[in-house]
Amino acid sequence: MRIATFNVNSVRSRAERIVAFLERNDVDVLAMQETKTSEAKFPYAVFEAAGYEVAHVGTNQWNGVALASRVGLEDVRTQFDHQPAYEGSVEARAVGATCGGVEVWSLYVPNGREIGHPHYDYKLQFLYSLQHEVAAQTPQLFTGDFNIAPRDSSVWDIAWFEGKTHVTEPERAAFEMLLEAGLVEIRHDDAYSFWDYKAMRFQKNQGMLIDFLLATPPLAGKLVKAWVDVDERRGKGASDHAPVIADFDTTAFAYDEVR
């Protein structure tokens, strides 16, 4: 099974491009973040015409997550247990479903905004709560935009980030806590998955690695290969993120689901 995560930065403005990416890369399951639309306005028909079922959670022009699958979409969940609220509302930041025998979550972790901001505390609480969803002995994949660069090498210049979010010790500790809960970071050879539109960051390759696939051991052990589709960041109308893609041999999981 080929699974990808992609912060699409507005699904309505990029629907045709996203579907072209799916077809070009032969993707089975796509986790999307920052769809930036309500469920009523999500372009379901574009994905369905390409052979994908879609589960989407979104309320307005902010946040929004979705799963598009051509290998089944069962047991859809629109938030995880104990998902924290921000300013009294549980935001559209998580959607999960069983796809081809694997429990897949699309996650858009809060940005954090500034160190000391209430949104920073919200970000940490989101990650603390997420660890309780991990069932290490079952095939699960927690994927999406984590808004954390877990290592100094995950950013183009660690000195530039001094005093900023995404690289602080509490954020990195929260990411590490997910690994200690039983998840395995799916590694690849590509340096970054995000390049800001500002200051020609992409052209200068001044990026960040903040998009991840975190798998439980039964799934991580079936990894074939993983990579970032950097070319998808190029050209007119590109998102500021590139998709991260992984191939897994999930034959046994799909068989168990059928049984």
Side-chain angles (χ1 to χ4, degrees):
M1 187 190 307
R2 180 164 290 178
I3 306 176
T5 183
F6 190 8
N7 181 319
V8 298
N9 193 12
S10 178
V11 69
R12 294 176 65 198
S13 64
R14 296 187 171 85
E16 299 290 348
R17 179 167 179 150
I18 297 165
V19 168
F21 156 76
L22 290 172
E23 293 176 342
R24 184 174 66 253
N25 286 279
D26 198 25
V27 174
D28 295 303
V29 181
L30 175 64
M32 289 175 272
Q33 303 85 43
E34 280 204 276
T35 59
K36 295 185 175 180
T37 189
S38 66
E39 293 175 34
K41 295 181 179 180
F42 188 94
Y44 290 98
V46 177
F47 290 88
E48 290 167 355
Y52 292 85
E53 298 178 82
V54 176
H56 174 250
V57 181
T59 56
N60 52 36
Q61 73 272 29
W62 307 110
N63 308 318
V65 286
L67 287 169
S69 172
R70 65 180 187 186
V71 292
L73 197 66
E74 313 264 336
D75 304 319
V76 174
R77 295 173 61 189
T78 56
Q79 63 185 70
F80 56 84
D81 290 343
H82 310 298
Q83 183 173 328
Y86 184 68
E87 295 183 340
S89 175
V90 176
E91 297 179 316
R93 293 184 176 275
V95 62
T98 300
C99 307
V102 178
E103 182 184 332
V104 182
W105 283 91
S106 178
L107 303 164
Y108 180 43
V109 175
N111 177 280
R113 300 182 185 172
E114 297 177 357
I115 299 170
H117 192 285
H119 208 262
Y120 181 87
D121 294 334
Y122 168 50
K123 177 180 192 173
L124 296 178
Q125 187 58 54
F126 187 97
L127 293 162
Y128 297 156
S129 299
L130 181 62
Q131 68 172 314
H132 299 295
E133 287 297 317
V134 178
Q137 302 307 311
T138 62
Q140 292 179 304
L141 186 67
F142 295 85
T143 186
D145 179 356
F146 282 78
N147 271 313
I148 294 174
R151 297 168 290 275
D152 288 358
S153 61
S154 303
V155 297
W156 60 274
D157 181 2
I158 191 62
W160 189 90
F161 286 86
E162 184 176 354
K164 299 180 176 68
T165 61
H166 290 55
V167 300
T168 66
E169 187 56 36
E171 291 168 293
R172 289 179 170 181
F175 186 89
E176 185 65 27
M177 189 179 299
L178 293 173
L179 305 185
E180 292 173 355
L183 296 178
V184 177
E185 179 187 343
I186 299 303
R187 298 289 192 105
H188 47 74
D189 293 332
D190 295 288
Y192 309 127
S193 62
F194 167 83
W195 299 259
D196 200 321
Y197 291 131
K198 301 174 184 177
M200 297 186 70
R201 295 291 187 211
F202 182 69
Q203 291 80 358
K204 298 174 183 176
N205 198 29
Q206 295 176 343
M208 304 173 67
L209 181 61
I210 57 176
D211 303 274
F212 297 97
L213 296 92
L214 306 182
T216 52
L219 181 62
K222 300 295 185 180
L223 177 68
V224 178
K225 62 179 179 178
W227 69 100
V228 178
D229 183 2
V230 177
D231 284 342
E232 184 57 34
R233 178 60 179 81
R234 305 180 194 279
K236 184 178 179 180
S239 170
D240 47 3
H241 291 249
V244 184
I245 310 169
D247 286 344
F248 299 94
D249 180 0
T250 60
T251 307
F253 304 143
Y255 176 72
D256 288 343
E257 186 181 50
V258 171
R259 285 197 303 175

